Structure formats: structure tokens, C-alpha cells
Amino acid sequence: MSDGSSISSHDGHGPSFTFYPAIYVLPTHLSLESLHRVEECLLNRDARLTYDPSEARVFLGNIGQRKRAILELRSRGVCTELEMRSVPGGVHVDGALDLGTETESDGQTNQSTGHLKRARSSDAEVDGSFINSDLIRVVRLGWLEKCVEEKDLVPMDQYIIYQGRRVQHPDDKATKGSEILHRAQQDVSRPHRGTTHRGTTHRPPKLYKQSTSENEDTPPPAPDWVTNHVSYACMRSAPLHPPNERFIDQLVKIRKVRELTLDEIGVRAYSTSIAAIAAYPCEFRRASEVLALPGCDMKIANLFAEFQQSGDGSLVAASALDTDPVLRVLHHFYRIWGVGAKTARDFYYARQWRDLDDIVEHGWNSLSRVQQIGVKYYDELLEGIPRAEVEEIARVVHRHASAVRPGVECIVVGGYRRGKEASGDADLVLSHRDESATHNLVVDVVSSLETEGWITHTLALHLTTSTRDQQTLPLRHDTGNHFDTLDKALVVWQDPSFNDTSPSTPEKKKRNPNPHRRVDIIISPWRTVGCAVLGWSGDTTFERDLRRHAKKSRGWKFDSSGVRERTSGGQVIDLERGGETWQEREKLVMEGLGIGWRPPGERCTR
DNA sequence: GCCT
DNA sequence: CAGTACG
DNA sequence: AGGCCGTTACTG
């Protein structure tokens, strides 16, 4: 092995590390495979592995020098001072030193007595020195190799490179961010110290079989995109329901907390990790598998370890969304259409509101028009639209569009096209092979639908190309020809027809019981319909990475209205010319951008 | 939080 | 200008 | 150390 690790995961039975404190494997100077084998070896012997440096007390690594060891610790935020009493080669005294300090965990000591006997027979240092001391040790990998070779625990002494005690971190001042966020981070950083497993080295029962033979828990071969470090979500296939969906659900909740606490970068980071995990084709069995994915590092691997050990698959930082009283209210406000994280916090902290009634009672007139609509139809707009109903809406829109522009095509995009059972809204792209037919189409379709009673409110109208062009064309010799983005209408929709039978009071019109729905109608000229459909069919991270990739790898600007040169002047790049159908044109765009085609059902980055 |  | 929306 | 989607388009 180039990194000098001779650890094999097929090494038969060996000693048990159950009663060692949390072990952290330093990845430095280790290949990913070696790292995995070392972890595998430890796990097979019931060691308590951690990906959180702050809770580890043994750091195992392919390292030779004390100076290097200190550096490795420091770079992981572990500040120590040298502990002189038992340095390498010194007298072995920690047992005596620490045995007397065991006061807080009698239960654990008693419970493990029987095992301690076994352990003690081969290694006297196991019990006393570690279980209750705050000693931090950096140990050469050779120790583990020796233990494996001897099939027994071997004293660490000769393998200790450095030994220290934790000291207060110099810049440990309070974070300026919200206390909730801070608390959440604290909680995450010590996932094994919860009330459930407090202080004990006892591992929860393994769900998988103890490995004895060929069926060894070697992880499945990594997919290409892992080996090749493909970091753009738009270049991987992520299905609607990936194998690690339950873990992803937890991470999505943490991301939501980051949104609510205005941590945009954290949101971006979690999105990257989530997208990678969503593309992973099998259930993780080891945190080290997580570690191998692009966009996932110790933080995420550690969260997976917590997920795996939690029993019910919950993460403390994720549960905060439901349990923290402040976050609960912020989340509630955030789900109002037209209210983002900033406004939600303003409602809470400045206006001191706590629920929708407070808003209606004390601030109705301070709301924007769309926020009022958002509050009014709060529950209905959050409901989720079944696929059949999305199709129904599309038929109605297509009928009206056809009346106004014969030959128009209506394409359902968004979550529906990715296969979601229920969509947050209905996203429809209208296009026509005759370029002039898409001119003013939004306005015409929306007013037609309004007249027939399908559209109850228009939340936003984005008019760019067509309407404005005509009015301002003479004035527009603009410097930067950003002449195209798509026309679109974001509307509130309600089926106007319902049974008006029964009423004993026939004069009073019964209220329409059909739920209000959010519908987005997007207009695209045929010339760029492939871009429109591509830009409106992927999950957020897929679309972000699409733009990022177009920029970084081609120097192009991609959006749903087309592909352009990024250099001023912005020459249009026509990647879809020659495509006969919108499906063909979308495929040509994906290939032209160099991401390769994949169906919409595989663009689910969450 | 992760990557270059 | 900041804030929100869209995927 | 600096970037992270969009020179988005809209509202107020």
C-alpha cells in the first residue's frame, strides 16, 4: 500500500475495542481505501468511531512526529497542552492517575465489569486510563496493525506520538448568530453524548450481521461520479426516492433551519451535500461512505453517524425545526407565500407576532397584497396538488391558449415532470412553433382564464420580451442586450365549477369549496423551448449547478430563456437548432452544455 | 460547509 | 434599494 | 482567501 497501511478488513477475529473511548481516524496520508479499511477493522471490533474531533480521545493516524500530531489536532479545532506524565516511553501511570476520578459513571463501570476482566488480561490500560480521563492521544496506525497481528489488545505506549489535555480554545467567544443556531451546532458536535448513550461505550445492536466470512461488509463499488469527483448535481442521476431518503429528509430539515436563520452559505452547503447523497445508489452502511462523496465532509459524515445510531433516524439539529418554539413560529410564517426568512423574522422579533391570527389582527394593512393572499389561502396553497389535478389544470390552460393561439403546445414541467405524487404548484410552459404566436401570449391567456373564472389572483407578471419590446423598442439600444427572459405569470387558481345544489336559501350563492392552487404559466419562443423546459424541470440545486457548470466549463450563461456567451455582447448560442420536438430540443441543450441527457425523474436533487 |  | 419569487 | 445561480424580474 502506498500509504503504508497494511490493515485488511479480511483479517478474521481479533480483539475488542469496545471499551476504548471514541476513536477518530486521521485521514492524512491515507488513501480513501485505506481509511475505509481502518474504519472497517475498528468497527468489526466494536470500537466507537467518531467523525467529530471534539469528542474523540484517540486519534489514530499514519503520522510519525509529535509536531505533526499537534498540527493535526489544531487544524481540527482540538487545542491541547502537552501531558508530561505519560509521554511515549515514559512510565505508565495514567491508570493510577485516573482510576480515582471515576465518580460520575458508576453504572457504566459496573455494567462493564465482566468485560473489563477480559480486556484487562491483555491490556491493563484499557479501563482506568481512558474511560474517564480527558486525555487526548495521537496514536500511530501501527498499534492497530499490531493488535490485529497479535489478535489481542496490545499496550498503546510505544505507539503514542503525542498525549495532551484539552484546553479552552482561544477564540471561543459567543457567536453573534442566533442562540438557536448556536445551540443546534453544539448539539450536533456531540451526537453521542445524548441522554440515551451518555458516557457509555456500549454500542446499539448492529442491524447488519457480524461479519465472519466472504460476505464481508465491503461497501459496494463507488459510482463513477464518486470516483471522478463529479461535483455538479446536473451531471448525476438523482431519483425522486433515493435509497438514503430518510437521511436526506433530516438534512433538508437542517437546511431549513439554516434558511430561517439567514445562513445562506449554510443553505448552499447543505444543498450540495443533499444533492450528492440523493444521487448515491445504495443505502450507506458506514459514515466513511458519506465521506467519499463530493460536497460531503466530516460534518455530514458525523451527522450520518448520529442518524445511524439514533435508533429512530432523527437528528437533534433537525428536530429543532419542530421542537424549538422560535423556529416553529418562524417556519410557520415562512410558509406564507410572499414571506421569506427576513420578513418571517421581522414578524417575530420586531412585531412580536406568534401566529397568523396576530398578523391578521395587528398587521393586516401592513402586508403587501400578495402576502395578504398568502395568508388568506395559507392552508390550501400548502396542500400539494395531486397529479391528476395538475393534468386537469394543464388541459384547461391548453384549451384557453389554443383558443387564442391555435397550434400552441402546453408542457407540464416542475415537480410534476419529475414524477412527484403531489406538486406544490402546477408549472406549465406554453410554446408555439410560430415565433410571432408567443408574442403577448401571457396576457391573452391569463385574461381569458380570468374571464372564465379560473384565475382568482395574479401574484406576479413577468413581462420582458414581447410586451415591453413594443413599447420601448425605439428607446432600447441597450448596451447589454439582455433582451430575453421569459414572460410568465404566477397566479392563484381555482376551479370555478361546483355543485350548487341543495341550498334552501337559493338567493345566497354558496361558497366555492374547491381549493386554491398556485399555477405558473411560462411562455417560451420555440427557438429556446428546450432551454425553457430544461430550466423549469429540475430541482433547485440541479438548476443552480447547471448555471454554475455552464459558466465554469464553457464560459456561457444558461437560463431558461437561452444560452449566451458571457462576454459582453452576449452572443446567443443555439444548441437546440434542428430539434423537432421540445423533448429533442431539451436533449440537444443538455448535450450541448456537456452534462449529458438524463430524464426529468433523475433531476431530483431536493 | 465545502471546494479551489 | 432590499426582499421575494422561480426552477 | 474567496466563491457559492441569475448582470433573473418584480414590488414597495
Side-chain angles (χ1 to χ4, degrees):
Chain A
M1 203 77 300
S2 62
D3 54 30
S5 161
S6 64
I7 298 290
S8 149
S9 47
H10 299 263
D11 47 18
H13 295 294
S16 167
F17 295 101
T18 310
F19 299 101
Y20 277 82
I23 299 176
Y24 180 107
V25 182
L26 293 162
T28 318
H29 299 150
L30 280 179
S31 69
L32 202 56
E33 302 87 80
S34 299
L35 177 60
H36 182 85
R37 274 197 307 279
V38 168
E39 292 176 337
E40 181 82 12
C41 171
L42 287 165
L43 284 171
N44 284 340
R45 290 164 180 77
D46 298 323
R48 198 152 70 86
L49 259 191
T50 181
Y51 295 88
D52 178 2
S54 70
E55 75 155 22
R57 295 228 304 285
V58 176
F59 290 80
L60 203 52
N62 193 5
I63 293 182
Q65 308 214 321
R66 172 183 298 171
K67 234 178 159 178
R68 178 79 213 186
I70 295 169
L71 194 73
E72 293 286 340
L73 292 183
R74 283 207 69 98
S75 75
R76 286 167 175 77
V78 178
C79 292
T80 55
E81 58 185 10
L82 183 63
E83 169 62 54
M84 289 305 288
R85 273 169 287 191
S86 181
V87 291
V91 186
H92 183 189
V93 292
D94 10 290
L97 184 92
D98 295 306
L99 271 171
T101 68
E102 296 181 25
T103 49
E104 55 182 73
S105 58
D106 312 301
Q108 153 213 328
T109 311
N110 295 338
Q111 157 190 12
S112 53
T113 307
H115 300 280
L116 285 181
K117 270 187 196 139
R118 270 194 278 124
R120 207 177 261 127
S121 66
S122 59
D123 186 359
E125 76 181 331
V126 169
D127 54 319
S129 63
F130 279 144
I131 289 175
N132 278 305
S133 91
D134 58 350
L135 270 181
I136 305 280
R137 286 173 165 182
V138 180
V139 182
R140 275 190 287 119
L141 216 44
W143 169 69
L144 179 61
E145 286 158 1
K146 183 72 174 172
C147 290
V148 168
E149 187 187 318
E150 300 282 319
K151 293 188 165 39
D152 203 351
L153 295 175
V154 169
M156 266 184 188
D157 300 35
Q158 307 93 297
Y159 299 91
I160 296 173
I161 301 154
Y162 169 76
Q163 176 166 285
R165 283 184 191 280
R166 194 174 290 281
V167 294
Q168 188 60 288
H169 200 273
D171 58 325
D172 205 16
K173 45 191 131 205
T175 50
K176 44 191 100 181
S178 98
E179 288 154 334
I180 300 129
L181 176 57
H182 185 234
R183 198 161 65 238
Q185 285 168 338
Q186 291 292 92
D187 288 343
V188 163
S189 71
R190 32 194 97 251
H192 311 295
R193 296 293 167 82
T195 47
T196 38
H197 318 290
R198 112 160 256 309
T200 161
T201 48
H202 193 75
R203 299 178 61 81
K206 288 185 178 174
L207 298 177
Y208 48 89
K209 244 183 68 84
Q210 183 81 351
S211 59
T212 42
S213 59
E214 313 321 297
N215 194 22
E216 199 81 5
D217 324 324
T218 45
D224 281 357
W225 58 267
V226 174
T227 346
N228 299 333
H229 305 107
V230 175
S231 59
Y232 292 104
C234 54
M235 303 180 75
R236 310 180 295 232
S237 286
L240 189 56
H241 297 294
N244 293 290
E245 189 171 18
R246 286 193 337 116
F247 180 44
I248 290 170
D249 289 340
Q250 294 293 305
L251 296 180
V252 166
K253 289 176 74 177
I254 298 179
R255 177 176 63 185
K256 182 72 76 186
V257 173
R258 302 313 182 97
E259 283 170 24
L260 295 171
T261 50
L262 308 182
D263 176 11
E264 293 169 51
I265 298 313
V267 171
R268 174 63 230 204
Y270 274 93
S271 296
T272 309
S273 317
I274 289 165
I277 296 167
Y280 198 70
C282 43
E283 255 190 274
F284 298 126
R285 295 138 87 197
R286 299 270 185 282
S288 50
E289 287 177 72
V290 180
L291 219 47
L293 306 196
C296 297
D297 208 320
M298 297 292 192
K299 179 77 180 186
I300 306 299
N302 191 36
L303 287 172
F304 178 72
E306 183 191 353
F307 170 82
Q308 204 173 32
Q309 292 175 20
S310 66
D312 63 347
S314 70
L315 300 178
V316 173
S319 308
L321 189 61
D322 313 307
T323 59
D324 186 286
V326 179
L327 287 175
R328 282 173 64 114
V329 176
L330 291 180
H331 192 203
H332 195 224
F333 290 162
Y334 183 73
R335 286 151 60 109
I336 300 170
W337 204 92
V339 172
K342 275 282 203 331
T343 308
R345 296 174 68 86
D346 182 60
F347 285 179
Y348 186 94
Y349 290 107
R351 321 283 205 96
Q352 310 248 325
W353 297 334
R354 294 298 180 265
D355 55 31
L356 295 191
D357 289 340
D358 287 342
I359 298 179
V360 173
E361 192 178 343
H362 302 115
W364 184 257
N365 290 320
S366 72
L367 299 184
S368 69
R369 187 185 73 91
V370 296
Q371 288 169 344
Q372 290 178 340
I373 295 167
V375 171
K376 199 163 175 184
Y377 304 113
Y378 186 82
D379 294 318
E380 295 179 17
L381 295 185
L382 287 174
E383 245 173 47
I385 316 173
R387 295 184 67 79
E389 193 180 333
V390 173
E391 290 156 18
E392 221 173 292
I393 292 169
R395 273 197 301 275
V396 174
V397 170
H398 186 226
R399 194 178 79 231
H400 282 253
S402 301
V404 170
R405 300 285 194 286
V408 71
E409 291 186 46
C410 178
I411 306 153
V412 187
V413 289
Y416 174 93
R417 185 161 179 244
R418 290 195 298 276
K420 287 182 71 173
E421 297 81 2
S423 307
D425 60 11
D427 300 302
L428 309 171
V429 170
L430 297 179
S431 190
H432 199 292
R433 286 156 193 267
D434 175 0
E435 174 121 17
S436 66
T438 47
H439 216 240
N440 282 327
L441 181 52
V442 223
V443 177
D444 293 346
V445 169
V446 167
S447 38
S448 173
L449 289 164
E450 268 173 345
T451 306
E452 218 179 275
W454 296 94
I455 290 177
T456 60
H457 310 267
T458 301
L459 295 169
L461 261 186
H462 292 219
L463 305 172
T464 36
T465 330
S466 24
T467 350
R468 189 171 23 187
D469 244 14
Q470 298 207 310
Q471 289 162 357
T472 60
L473 188 73
L475 304 168
R476 283 238 165 200
H477 333 94
D478 225 48
T479 44
N481 269 339
H482 50 80
F483 49 88
D484 280 316
T485 53
L486 300 184
D487 285 2
K488 68 184 173 200
L490 314 182
V491 305
V492 178
W493 177 279
Q494 186 186 35
D495 185 337
S497 56
F498 59 98
N499 290 336
D500 207 353
T501 58
S502 83
S504 47
T505 51
E507 49 195 69
K508 254 192 182 173
K509 273 202 174 172
K510 219 167 87 177
R511 220 180 72 79
N512 184 343
N514 296 324
H516 290 79
R517 304 301 199 187
R518 279 270 305 104
V519 175
D520 293 345
I521 299 171
I522 302 103
I523 312 297
S524 173
W526 189 256
R527 179 167 42 85
T528 56
V529 70
C531 292
V533 163
L534 175 58
W536 279 83
S537 294
D539 254 338
T540 302
T541 310
F542 181 94
E543 299 295 342
R544 283 183 165 196
D545 282 1
L546 199 52
R547 287 157 153 78
R548 220 157 48 86
H549 177 264
K551 167 151 84 174
K552 294 271 193 285
S553 77
R554 299 284 207 272
W556 293 344
K557 178 170 102 72
F558 170 86
D559 70 50
S560 58
S561 73
V563 180
R564 266 161 273 261
E565 209 82 67
R566 200 162 270 278
T567 58
S568 67
Q571 275 291 310
V572 171
I573 316 266
D574 187 358
L575 299 173
E576 56 187 277
R577 192 176 48 211
E580 272 307 308
T581 63
W582 60 263
Q583 290 95 332
E584 269 177 50
R585 296 179 76 93
E586 180 191 50
K587 190 171 179 186
L588 285 171
V589 174
M590 293 182 84
E591 284 162 355
L593 287 172
I595 61 170
W597 188 81
R598 55 185 43 70
E602 297 176 8
R603 306 174 199 167
C604 306
T605 53
R606 298 300 299 275

